[in-house]
Amino acid sequence: MKSYSILFPFYDEVEYKQLTDTACHDLGLDTLLSEMAVNTDEQNLIRDVLSHMTADPRVARYRTEVFSDILHHKDLRDRIMDVFDRIEHIRDFEAIHKSHEGVTLWHLFQRLDELREYILCVEELRACLTEIKIESEGLLGLRDYVDEIYNEAGFSAMKKDLEKLSIKASEIRSITVGINVNDRLEATGLGLISVNDKPFKKSGIISGFSDAISSEDKLQKGNEWSGDMHYYPSGKGGDTFFRTLKKGAGVFCLQRTPFVDARTRSTIVTGVMDDKGKDTAHYLEAEMNKLMSKLSRDMRDVLTAYSDVAIINISGLIPEFVYYIRVAEFIEKYTERGYAFCVPKASTETVVGEFYNLRLATTMENPDEIVKNDIRFDDRNRIYILTGANRGGKTTLTQGVGILFMMAQGGIYVPADSFDYVPVDAIYTHFPADEDKTTDLGRLGEECIRFKEIYDDATSESLILLNETYSTTSFEEGYYIAKDSVRALLSKKVRMIYNTHMHKLGQDIDDINSDATSARVVSMIMRTEGSTRSFKVELAPPEGISFASDIAKKYGVTYEQLVNVGE
């Protein structure tokens, strides 16, 4: 059967782009991941999902619906994780013993127990998807998918067969083996007769041999066995049995295990030699081991084929559920702390109401200290030139917008009062690089190369976030390059926020827009009230100052503070 996904629907039609490690870092994803999961593997799993983006709105809606079901039904989360924990425990246990070359009787009975547990897990998964009122397309489809697997794997019939095989390894006390001999009493064949719940009592060689041949007729006529089990010979003849078993015969047998103990060895006559000079005891032991080993392995393979029909496909869903469950727990935790989240809605326009930077929120104790903002992207507001005071919140807002899209397209509720949006195919970031990455090219050269790569990859469906780009050179050089870059990106109709100290760039938007057709660049500022940062944005021309004097006063480096420092 084709695999099923509750994260990547319509995968034959949809293309995904992966965010770069740099973009993930600039968006503060590591901080969010450390809050969403403790386990490193789970953090990497969440990163992998969030960093693969597509502009197809169907994927975003599909994920959001599944997430809503999982977020609102804690009992569903608990039951699903319990099922998956049991499956993983079985698979881990199974993998350990599959690594051993020898397959013993114990392995076979363990395999039967595993299969019983598999069936219970699949049945529980079906039950929780049926009993809990789910509404999402993804989970309703999964319910039908699990039903189909259950029926196609014949689990219902197999469950009945397994009930007949209720024997446990701990109940076995003896095994009856039949040996064919030639006229010199040399063993020519060995076969399994029965598995017994009582041990044989006699151990004396002479008395046992005497009882065996001292009946009224001295020697048993024929080779009939009074038990219910049949004789399955070692060697080629045994293959017929397994062809029958694989067609559905409901017979329990064994086929592979070293199972000759000291008591058994003590009752074997060792005087007759075969053609190779090996004594009969060693020959019988080798043949018995070979027979039991083959029986156990073939039976195990048959049972594995049954279970893998369902378990391989269902196991693939475990990491997808882990993704949804961990982020649901994260949203629950921060909702309880007083932070607001809303259901993102993939739409034909992007309008954000009262959003905040979630990465910043994870570092704050009081949600009342969070400052929220509104923003929208349409043709009249395609590119924002964001200016304002130093440490006024420009980078925080720029990063927060990227987090909104990343979370929404991952299906997660977002930190805002409302979020209608057009999905993006990727998020590109251009934040200041570390010094050690600019040694060879210089900071400006490195910035230019990174920007060119972003420009080449971006489409009209992309989101670009620029943070102080081209600020490492002189104002004249930086302004010249920045203006051309914005004009070029406007021609691509990308959505973008460019936060910068080059206020002239925001003042010259009419000139930048002169060549545009429909999309427009607008100026947005971080509003201030005197020297106080409000961390609120509004559409307005740049205020014309960088508020460097405020920073200077804070650290005591104004002229007045410096010359009067000794007074």
Side-chain angles (χ1 to χ4, degrees):
M1 294 182 62
K2 194 172 185 178
S3 60
Y4 190 88
S5 175
I6 54 175
L7 272 174
F8 297 95
F10 320 113
Y11 40 77
D12 290 335
E13 309 167 27
V14 178
E15 293 184 1
Y16 295 87
K17 290 183 179 180
Q18 185 171 11
L19 304 189
T20 64
D21 290 341
T22 299
C24 292
H25 172 75
D26 292 341
L27 294 175
L29 185 54
D30 286 339
T31 300
L32 295 177
L33 292 174
S34 65
E35 291 290 318
M36 292 178 178
V38 176
N39 182 283
T40 302
D41 290 337
E42 292 181 356
Q43 290 179 5
N44 292 335
L45 165 67
I46 299 171
R47 176 195 297 275
D48 193 52
V49 175
L50 292 178
S51 64
H52 281 82
M53 306 190 75
T54 176
D56 193 318
R58 294 174 300 173
V59 176
R61 295 191 191 104
Y62 182 91
R63 290 177 174 179
T64 302
E65 291 176 0
V66 172
F67 180 74
S68 293
D69 270 343
I70 291 176
L71 178 65
H72 295 146
H73 296 290
K74 187 177 185 304
D75 52 341
L76 173 65
R77 304 200 307 256
D78 293 341
R79 291 174 66 177
I80 289 284
M81 287 307 297
D82 179 64
V83 169
F84 288 156
D85 285 344
R86 288 157 61 187
I87 289 177
E88 284 296 276
H89 175 75
I90 297 170
R91 288 172 65 86
D92 291 343
F93 188 79
E94 174 188 343
I96 293 173
H97 294 287
K98 272 189 175 181
S99 64
H100 298 318
E101 292 185 6
V103 181
T104 66
L105 281 175
W106 184 88
H107 287 93
L108 176 60
F109 284 110
Q110 185 62 41
R111 191 71 186 122
L112 288 170
D113 289 338
E114 290 168 5
L115 189 52
R116 292 188 188 95
E117 187 68 14
Y118 276 143
I119 295 175
L120 292 176
C121 289
V122 175
E123 289 180 333
E124 171 60 15
L125 183 59
R126 293 175 72 212
C128 66
L129 290 172
T130 301
E131 295 167 3
I132 296 173
K133 189 178 180 181
I134 54 177
E135 299 178 357
S136 63
E137 175 190 349
L139 293 187
L140 290 173
L142 176 60
R143 183 182 65 191
D144 295 339
Y145 178 76
V146 174
D147 277 339
E148 186 178 358
I149 283 180
Y150 186 85
N151 294 327
E152 287 203 8
F155 271 20
S156 180
M158 183 167 47
K159 183 179 179 181
K160 294 178 181 178
D161 288 341
L162 286 174
E163 289 174 353
K164 300 175 184 177
L165 302 177
S166 59
I167 185 172
K168 302 290 184 181
S170 60
E171 298 173 0
I172 297 177
R173 289 297 178 266
S174 66
I175 296 175
T176 306
V177 176
I179 304 172
N180 290 331
V181 297
N182 58 20
D183 55 1
R184 294 178 296 173
L185 296 184
E186 294 172 339
T188 60
L190 180 71
L192 178 66
I193 299 296
S194 67
V195 180
N196 315 307
D197 63 357
K198 293 182 179 180
F200 293 106
K201 297 297 184 182
K202 289 195 174 182
S203 60
I205 296 177
I206 300 301
S207 62
F209 184 77
S210 173
D211 287 350
I213 64 173
S214 63
S215 61
E216 183 178 350
D217 294 326
K218 303 302 181 184
L219 191 66
Q220 179 171 301
K221 301 296 184 181
N223 60 356
E224 297 300 323
W225 175 254
S226 60
D228 294 330
M229 304 300 290
H230 296 285
Y231 172 81
Y232 300 111
S234 173
K236 294 183 178 180
D239 294 340
T240 302
F241 165 72
F242 282 96
R243 285 197 296 269
T244 304
L245 175 66
K246 291 173 183 177
K247 291 179 181 178
V251 180
F252 174 73
C253 74
L254 302 136
Q255 192 178 347
R256 183 169 182 162
T257 282
F259 204 89
V260 179
D261 60 16
R263 179 177 299 177
T264 305
R265 293 189 182 93
S266 71
T267 63
I268 296 177
V269 179
T270 60
V272 182
M273 308 297 291
D274 62 14
D275 294 337
K276 295 181 180 180
K278 294 182 178 179
D279 61 59
T280 304
H282 291 166
Y283 174 79
L284 292 180
E285 179 174 353
E287 284 297 303
M288 187 173 179
N289 287 344
K290 182 168 68 175
L291 170 71
M292 304 290 278
S293 181
K294 188 175 191 315
L295 281 166
S296 293
R297 176 168 292 169
D298 285 355
M299 176 62 94
R300 183 202 64 185
D301 291 344
V302 171
L303 298 177
T304 297
Y306 263 123
S307 63
D308 281 354
V309 171
I311 300 306
I312 288 177
N313 290 343
I314 290 177
S315 294
L317 293 166
I318 294 177
E320 298 193 346
F321 269 103
V322 168
Y323 166 81
Y324 282 116
I325 289 172
R326 292 295 176 257
V327 294
E329 292 169 345
F330 168 80
I331 296 299
E332 275 186 340
K333 179 174 68 175
Y334 276 85
T335 299
E336 292 172 357
R337 292 181 181 179
Y339 293 92
F341 294 88
C342 73
V343 181
K345 298 177 181 178
S347 181
T348 56
E349 61 178 359
T350 299
V351 181
V352 192
E354 295 289 288
F355 82 95
Y356 59 95
N357 185 316
L358 185 59
R359 187 208 62 79
L360 177 64
T362 62
T363 66
M364 301 179 68
E365 294 293 333
N366 185 2
D368 294 334
E369 297 177 359
I370 289 288
V371 177
K372 300 180 179 180
N373 279 292
D374 301 334
I375 196 171
R376 69 184 300 139
F377 286 101
D378 52 28
D379 279 346
R380 293 178 60 84
N381 303 274
R382 201 72 180 178
I383 293 178
Y384 288 96
I385 305 299
L386 175 60
T387 57
N390 290 320
R391 302 178 66 84
K394 298 189 301 296
T395 299
T396 298
L397 182 135
T398 304
Q399 182 187 67
V401 170
I403 292 173
L404 280 177
F405 280 91
M406 182 174 60
M407 290 181 64
Q409 294 184 216
I412 310 171
Y413 289 6
V414 298
D417 287 353
S418 64
F419 186 37
D420 294 344
Y421 71 105
V422 180
V424 300
D425 62 1
I427 301 173
Y428 299 97
T429 62
H430 194 289
F431 285 34
D434 297 333
E435 289 287 352
D436 59 356
K437 296 181 181 179
T438 64
T439 303
D440 296 333
L441 300 172
R443 293 186 70 87
L444 181 60
E446 184 275 337
E447 285 187 310
C448 291
I449 289 176
R450 280 202 294 145
F451 180 84
K452 181 62 165 59
E453 292 173 349
I454 290 173
Y455 180 83
D456 290 342
D457 290 342
T459 71
S460 61
E461 297 179 315
S462 301
L463 174 67
I464 298 180
L465 304 173
L466 305 184
N467 182 23
E468 299 294 352
T469 303
Y470 304 129
S471 63
T472 58
T473 184
S474 67
F475 171 80
E476 291 79 7
E477 291 174 334
Y479 170 76
Y480 174 80
I481 300 173
K483 184 176 180 180
D484 276 358
S485 298
V486 172
R487 291 176 60 196
L489 289 169
L490 184 61
S491 69
K492 276 196 167 188
K493 297 185 177 181
V494 302
R495 283 165 278 180
M496 184 173 80
I497 297 178
Y498 184 177
N499 86 65
T500 177
H501 280 90
M502 291 184 285
H503 296 158
K504 183 174 173 53
L505 195 63
Q507 293 169 345
D508 290 348
I509 59 172
D510 289 340
D511 184 31
I512 296 173
N513 285 328
S514 61
D515 296 331
T517 54
S518 58
R520 290 287 187 272
V521 178
V522 294
S523 172
M524 183 166 63
I525 65 171
M526 300 298 295
R527 193 171 65 234
T528 61
E529 300 170 0
S531 61
T532 303
R533 277 79 170 149
S534 69
F535 304 107
K536 297 287 289 187
V537 297
E538 66 176 310
L539 298 182
E543 294 183 322
I545 57 175
S546 67
F547 295 91
S549 60
D550 294 337
I551 300 296
K553 288 179 181 178
K554 178 179 179 179
Y555 293 101
V557 293
T558 65
Y559 174 79
E560 291 77 13
Q561 289 171 313
L562 291 171
V563 298
N564 295 320
V565 68
E567 297 182 4

